[in-house]
């Protein structure tokens, strides 16, 4: 009742998130309610033919808002056309706060105005970068550029963080295409979100390539360095209320807010190491023959194996089964051995006045021999492994071929090794 779900028509549209939002905290109970809701018959909204706001509200069973809409200037039949600009934020400002009523009104507006404008975005966003457009073109997905731009994926740094669910959310309908894009996105250079406290909000936005929101944050009172700590109180609903609706930007800002802390010493050391690595001077290959050698080597020797097409998973399962079986057998054998020793070594050899147990002495001797043999075989195994490793080194082949001005390895070595393999 508190959230406006007053009859079965309202309840029929509820989702798992709705049950959680109204305070159903037990997951099992939410799932039970969700399953029951699917069996509830809910007639479709017959709002496409209504001729006025009063008739619309009565059709939606929300006649208690007639006076409210009238006070806001939506009193005549002609005013129904003005409803297409109303979003959740405006309805809340008018005084509509119950979750069920907000959902029902917004859904009705979407039915009345199929081409209703997107939520108002006060920021002028830059177009998608050429490099990202070319990347989509190489994957045969250039037609989806508007989808990426609409949701804020303006460059490859943003695309690199996309998941299968993100591609589905922006309108990539084909499952195979989503999988192809997800796999390709993982190979793109990403912009890491580091734990840090910036100088001010402007610096924070620039670091995350969202400087177009500078004025928006400033208008909301986030501009100076002292306002940085106030950012920690922002959540997704607050960012949406400010006017940030693009999926990529919301996701980026929420991740950045989670990392808005003073960095630890180890994080500073990692950051310093990364800076040193990035500052290393890169040397170009000396000649065409050297470049050709490395390309051939990568192609023939370092081509990545597609794990999905190998028997790796089956082999893992079989090895686990063998391990479990062997451990079970060893456990049983050891138990039997302990019981046997205890049974045989219990009586002392009093007839011979021996202060020791004969079987205990025999066990100690046998066990000692086994340990010595294991140690020796371990040493032999390591030596043989070393010999095998040294035997794979073929220094006679690493010779500068005569007539090679670059003094580089002959390409025939790679080809001969490939043919032998």
């Amino acid at each position: 009742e508190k959230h406006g779900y007053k009859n079965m028509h309202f309840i029929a549209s509820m989702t798992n998130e709705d049950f959680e939002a109204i305070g159903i905290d037990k997951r099992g109970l939410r799932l039970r309610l969700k399953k029951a809701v699917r069996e509830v018959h809910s007639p479709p909204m017959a709002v496409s033919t209504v001729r006025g706001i009063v008739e619309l509200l009565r059709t939606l069973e929300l006649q208690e808002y007639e006076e409210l809409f009238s006070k806001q200037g939506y009193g005549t039949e002609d005013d129904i056309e003005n409803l297409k600009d109303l979003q959740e934020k405006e309805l809340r400002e008018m005084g509509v706060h119950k979750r069920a009523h907000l959902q029902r009104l917004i859904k009705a507006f979407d039915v009345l105005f199929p081409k209703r404008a997107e939520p108002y975005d006060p920021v002028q966003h830059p177009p998608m970068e050429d490099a990202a457009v070319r990347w989509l073109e190489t994957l045969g997905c250039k037609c989806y550029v508007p989808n990426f731009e609409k949701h804020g994926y303006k460059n490859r740094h943003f695309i690199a963080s996309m998941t299968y669910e993100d591609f589905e959310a922006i309108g990539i309908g084909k499952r195979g295409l989503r999988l192809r894009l997800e796999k390709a996105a993982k190979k793109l250079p990403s912009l890491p979100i580091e734990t840090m406290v910036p100088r001010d909000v402007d610096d924070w936005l620039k670091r995350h390539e969202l400087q177009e929101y500078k004025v928006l944050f400033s208008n909301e009172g986030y501009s100076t360095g002292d306002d940085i700590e106030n950012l920690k109180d922002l959540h997704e609903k607050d960012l949406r209320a400010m006017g940030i609706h693009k999926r990529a930007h919301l996701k980026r800002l929420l991740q950045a807010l989670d990392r808005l802390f003073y960095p630890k010493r180890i994080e500073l050391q990692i950051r310093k190491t990364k800076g040193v690595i990035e500052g290393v001077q890169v040397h170009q290959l000396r000649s065409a023959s050297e470049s050709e050698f490395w390309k051939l080597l990568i192609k023939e020797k370092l081509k990545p194996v597609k794990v999905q097409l190998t028997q790796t998973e089956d082999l893992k399962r079989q090895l686990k089964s063998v391990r479990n079986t062997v451990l079970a057998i060893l456990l049983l054998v050891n138990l039997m051995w302990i019981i046997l020793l205890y049974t045989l070594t219990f009586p002392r050899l009093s007839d011979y006045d021996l202060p020791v147990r004969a079987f205990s002495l025999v066990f100690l001797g046998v066990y000692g021999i086994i340990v010595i043999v294991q140690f020796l075989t371990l040493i032999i195994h390591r030596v043989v492994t070393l010999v095998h490793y040294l035997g794979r080194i073929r220094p006679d082949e690493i010779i500068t071929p005569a007539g090679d001005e670059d003094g580089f390895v002959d390409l025939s070595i790679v080809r001969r090794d490939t043919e032998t393999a």
Side-chain angles (χ1 to χ4, degrees):
E1 290 182 344
K2 176 183 176 182
H3 294 274
Y5 295 98
K6 57 185 179 180
N7 61 37
M8 296 305 293
H9 294 163
F10 286 76
I11 296 174
S13 63
M14 293 183 73
T15 63
N16 188 60
E17 290 73 19
D18 294 326
F19 289 121
E20 186 175 8
I22 69 173
I24 311 297
D25 55 349
K26 296 181 179 179
R27 185 173 183 274
L29 193 56
R30 292 199 302 269
L31 293 174
R32 188 197 309 170
L33 288 167
K34 181 181 177 182
K35 184 178 179 180
V37 160
R38 292 175 182 172
E39 301 175 0
V40 176
H41 174 68
S42 177
M45 285 187 178
V47 298
S48 55
T49 59
V50 295
R51 291 179 296 177
I53 294 176
V54 173
E55 184 180 352
L56 172 66
L57 292 173
R58 290 177 180 177
T59 303
L60 298 175
E61 303 178 61
L62 295 173
Q63 51 268 29
E64 61 264 36
Y65 291 109
E66 289 180 13
E67 184 178 353
L68 179 65
F69 273 82
S70 179
K71 288 181 179 180
Q72 295 293 329
Y74 301 98
T76 66
E77 291 185 3
D78 296 335
D79 294 327
I80 196 170
E81 196 66 29
N82 301 328
L83 295 176
K84 66 180 180 181
D85 297 326
L86 290 180
Q87 300 292 341
E88 182 177 346
K89 180 181 178 181
E90 288 79 11
L91 289 172
R92 287 186 180 276
E93 290 175 352
M94 288 172 56
V96 183
H97 299 290
K98 293 189 175 183
R99 185 181 182 90
H101 300 174
L102 284 168
Q103 290 178 339
R104 198 160 176 83
L105 284 168
I106 291 173
K107 187 176 180 179
F109 295 161
D110 291 338
V111 173
L112 272 174
F113 313 105
K115 297 183 178 180
R116 207 156 71 105
E118 293 291 324
Y120 173 66
D121 192 341
V123 178
Q124 186 67 33
H125 299 280
M128 195 174 192
E129 293 183 0
D130 293 338
V133 175
R134 289 195 298 271
W135 179 79
L136 287 173
E137 189 174 4
T138 58
L139 295 170
C141 301
K142 189 176 180 180
C143 59
Y144 290 103
V145 169
N147 299 60
F148 282 83
E149 288 183 333
K150 176 183 176 181
H151 294 276
Y153 295 99
K154 57 184 178 180
N155 60 35
R156 294 184 297 173
H157 291 160
F158 284 83
I159 296 174
S161 64
M162 293 184 73
T163 62
Y164 180 89
E165 290 73 20
D166 292 327
F167 288 114
E168 185 176 13
I170 70 172
I172 311 297
K174 299 177 180 178
R175 184 176 183 276
L177 198 55
R178 292 198 296 268
L179 291 171
R180 187 199 308 172
L181 287 166
E182 182 186 24
K183 185 177 180 180
K186 292 178 180 179
K187 300 177 182 179
L188 292 175
S190 61
L191 185 65
I193 300 178
E194 298 177 337
T195 302
M196 59 165 296
V197 177
R199 296 190 307 272
D200 50 35
V201 178
D202 185 23
D203 178 43
W204 181 66
L205 291 171
K206 284 182 179 178
R207 288 176 180 271
H208 299 294
E209 300 185 354
L210 293 171
Q211 53 269 29
E212 62 261 37
Y213 290 109
K214 176 183 177 181
V215 176
L216 182 64
F217 274 83
S218 180
N219 291 340
E220 293 290 337
Y222 303 98
S223 56
T224 66
D226 295 334
D227 297 322
I228 289 292
E229 61 179 316
N230 299 331
L231 293 175
K232 293 294 295 181
D233 298 326
L234 291 176
H235 301 284
E236 182 176 353
K237 64 178 182 180
D238 304 312
L239 294 174
R240 288 185 180 275
M242 288 169 59
I244 304 173
H245 302 286
K246 292 185 180 291
R247 184 182 182 90
H249 300 173
L250 281 170
K251 184 178 179 180
R252 185 81 179 174
L253 286 170
L254 290 172
Q255 290 174 345
L257 289 170
D258 288 339
R259 304 286 289 174
L260 194 58
F261 295 104
Y262 287 108
K264 299 177 183 177
R265 182 178 299 177
I266 184 65
E267 292 173 330
L268 292 174
Q269 292 175 349
I270 293 173
R271 196 177 303 173
K272 182 179 179 181
T273 304
K274 287 182 178 178
V276 172
I277 294 174
E278 292 173 356
V280 173
Q281 185 178 0
V282 179
H283 298 278
Q284 299 296 326
L285 296 178
R286 291 178 294 176
S287 65
S289 62
E290 185 176 356
S291 177
E292 185 183 354
F293 168 82
W294 287 112
K295 287 180 180 178
L296 182 60
L297 181 67
I298 291 171
K299 179 181 178 181
E300 300 292 347
K301 299 291 187 178
L302 301 177
K303 187 176 181 180
V305 177
K306 298 183 184 299
V307 179
Q308 293 85 350
L309 303 181
T310 65
Q311 299 179 353
T312 304
E313 295 301 324
D314 292 337
L315 184 59
K316 285 181 180 178
R317 285 193 293 270
Q318 292 172 8
L319 288 174
K320 287 180 180 179
S321 177
V322 172
R323 178 200 63 189
N324 296 338
T325 303
V326 171
L327 289 176
I329 293 173
L330 287 175
L331 178 62
L332 292 174
V333 170
N334 277 285
L335 286 174
M336 293 173 64
W337 181 250
I338 292 171
I339 294 171
L340 182 63
L341 286 177
Y342 181 79
T343 303
L344 296 176
T345 59
F346 183 78
R348 291 180 179 273
L349 300 178
S350 56
D351 298 341
Y352 302 96
D353 296 327
L354 294 177
V356 296
R357 295 169 181 171
F359 284 104
S360 298
L361 185 60
V362 172
F363 169 75
L364 184 61
V366 173
Y367 191 75
I369 293 172
I370 292 174
V371 171
I372 293 172
V373 171
Q374 286 182 335
F375 178 75
L376 292 176
T377 53
L378 180 65
I379 296 296
I380 294 171
H381 177 266
R382 293 294 183 266
V383 172
V384 172
T385 302
L386 179 61
V387 171
H388 286 170
Y389 178 76
L390 295 175
R392 293 178 63 87
I393 301 176
R394 301 166 66 179
D396 58 310
E397 290 188 343
I398 309 179
I399 299 175
T400 303
D404 191 346
E405 297 178 357
D406 302 315
F408 212 74
V409 182
D410 190 353
L411 297 178
S412 61
I413 297 174
V414 180
R415 295 190 180 94
R416 183 162 64 254
D417 285 350
T418 305
E419 294 171 358
T420 303

